Amino acid sequence: VGRTDPRHPRMPQARMVAENSSVTEFILAGLTHQPGLQLPLFFLFLGSYMVTAVGNLGLLTLIGLSSHLHTPMYFFLYNLSFIDFCYSTVITPKMLMSFVSEKNVISYAGCMTQLFFFLFFVVSESFILSAMAYDRYVAICNPLVYAATVSPRVCLLLSSGVYVMGFAGAMAHTVCMARLTFCANNLVDHYMCDILPLLELSCTSTHVNVLVVFVVVGIDIGVPSLTIFISYALILSSILHIRSTQGRSKAFSTCSSHMIAVSLFFGSGAFMYLKPSSLLPLSQGKVSSLFYTIVVPMLNPLIYSLRNKDVKVALKRWLHGRSF
């Protein structure tokens, strides 16, 4: 009735505009528009990506080749390095394009693909960190049953759950994003296809998407955070019952690397997504998102290698074997 009724002339016209002007590609604005900063930032982030790639691929190789690192703790660290390398690769190469090209164009399909894999690996990282916290809890609080509790089968189930949650979270956001219509404005004020900048461009209602953001992100941050908090509360209680100073120091050093990684990742992620938009504009929010997309994947292998005696020993053995 609306298409033929002359009393409703605007309805088919608005519908036609929405259908005909839906964008087929986006332009990523990048970090800055100042020409003098483009080249220095390009080399800065190229260097950080190279450190990320070498560090995480190095840990993957080292854990894979060193038989004495084939334990649950390093199994989870292996998965963490894999996730860090993958989601850094999803983001950084495309971001580097914005520093050396006038228009960093990405197709609609490419944008949705980048969004999916970025969310998949970020959600997976949050749950792998919680699995690592559980592993540390069992190792410190119940060492006598550690081998039975964190068995290879349990490790496999936990890692499978990590990737299932990553897939579910990424699918929820991507499907909701795909239902939106994007009209004339196709300039994404970010260096990647992220949820909040894309919602700003939609010319249809985003109420469902915003609800999904708070529910899904709340689960993906809340559940791992609660698991980590409970694990470390029990770990702290157990450490305080250790009488020897050396034993306490050893227990704290075992958990320190993981605690630093957790603080960096969850702190920056919660600050970006679980805050009112009035408190932090997107132009500043994309700077804060650098921490969990660029800085965290680069620092994780350094944190776990420089503060871990087993990794240092494995690296020395491997280097000695190669030189020999």
Side-chain angles (χ1 to χ4, degrees), residues 8 24 121 124 139 187 195 214 235 270 280 289 309 320:
H8 300 280
T24 57
F121 289 116
S124 298
L187 179 63
I195 300 170
F214 278 99
I235 288 172
L280 188 68
S289 66
K309 187 182 295 185
H320 177 74

Side-chain angles (χ1 to χ4, degrees), residues 199-217:
L199 292 182
E200 290 288 313
L201 302 182
S202 175
C203 53
T204 51
S205 175
T206 59
H207 293 304
V208 174
N209 297 73
V210 173
L211 180 62
V212 170
V213 167
F214 278 99
V215 172
V216 177
V217 174

Side-chain angles (χ1 to χ4, degrees), residues 40-189:
L41 287 176
F42 172 81
F43 286 109
L44 174 65
F45 289 109
L46 177 62
S48 70
Y49 179 68
M50 292 175 65
V51 172
T52 301
V54 171
N56 285 291
L57 291 177
L59 264 182
L60 287 172
T61 304
L62 195 62
I63 294 172
L65 295 178
S66 304
S67 58
H68 73 284
L69 296 182
H70 293 175
T71 63
M73 175 181 174
Y74 294 102
F75 171 79
F76 294 124
L77 181 56
Y78 184 93
N79 281 271
L80 177 66
S81 295
F82 170 75
I83 291 169
D84 278 339
F85 171 73
C86 287
Y87 94 76
S88 179
T89 301
V90 168
I91 300 302
T92 310
K94 191 62 180 173
M95 183 186 73
L96 292 174
M97 293 292 295
S98 65
F99 298 123
V100 295
S101 59
E102 291 185 7
K103 286 186 178 181
N104 186 19
V105 178
I106 184 171
S107 66
Y108 177 86
C111 188
M112 293 299 111
T113 302
Q114 186 189 55
L115 177 69
F116 174 82
F117 282 105
F118 161 65
L119 293 170
F120 172 74
F121 289 116
V122 167
V123 174
S124 298
E125 172 137 349
S126 68
F127 281 96
I128 199 68
L129 288 172
S130 65
M132 294 172 76
Y134 172 73
D135 171 71
R136 292 300 83 205
Y137 154 71
V138 178
I140 293 174
C141 299
N142 298 292
L144 297 179
V145 296
Y146 177 76
T149 305
V150 193
S151 62
R153 180 174 178 272
V154 171
C155 289
L156 187 60
L157 288 174
L158 286 174
S159 62
S160 299
V162 164
Y163 295 114
V164 167
M165 292 302 296
F167 179 80
M171 279 298 293
H173 288 299
T174 308
V175 169
C176 286
M177 191 66 68
R179 57 179 283 275
L180 299 179
T181 300
F182 300 93
C183 300
N185 186 10
N186 67 339
L187 179 63
V188 181
D189 187 18

Side-chain angles (χ1 to χ4, degrees), residues 230-302:
I230 294 174
S231 297
Y232 276 107
L234 295 172
I235 288 172
L236 181 61
S237 175
S238 179
I239 289 175
L240 293 177
H241 287 84
I242 299 176
R243 295 183 178 181
S244 68
T245 306
Q246 185 179 0
R248 290 183 182 180
S249 176
K250 185 177 180 180
F252 274 119
S253 65
T254 303
C255 302
S256 59
S257 299
H258 183 254
M259 292 175 69
I260 294 172
V262 165
S263 301
L264 287 171
F265 180 78
F266 283 98
S268 57
F271 185 70
M272 177 63 188
Y273 289 101
L274 299 180
K275 48 85 184 169
S277 58
S278 58
L279 295 180
L280 188 68
L282 282 177
S283 57
Q284 297 178 26
K286 64 183 177 182
V287 177
S288 69
S289 66
L290 284 174
F291 283 95
Y292 66 89
T293 57
I294 306 296
V295 177
V296 171
M298 179 181 67
L299 290 182
N300 276 346
L302 298 177

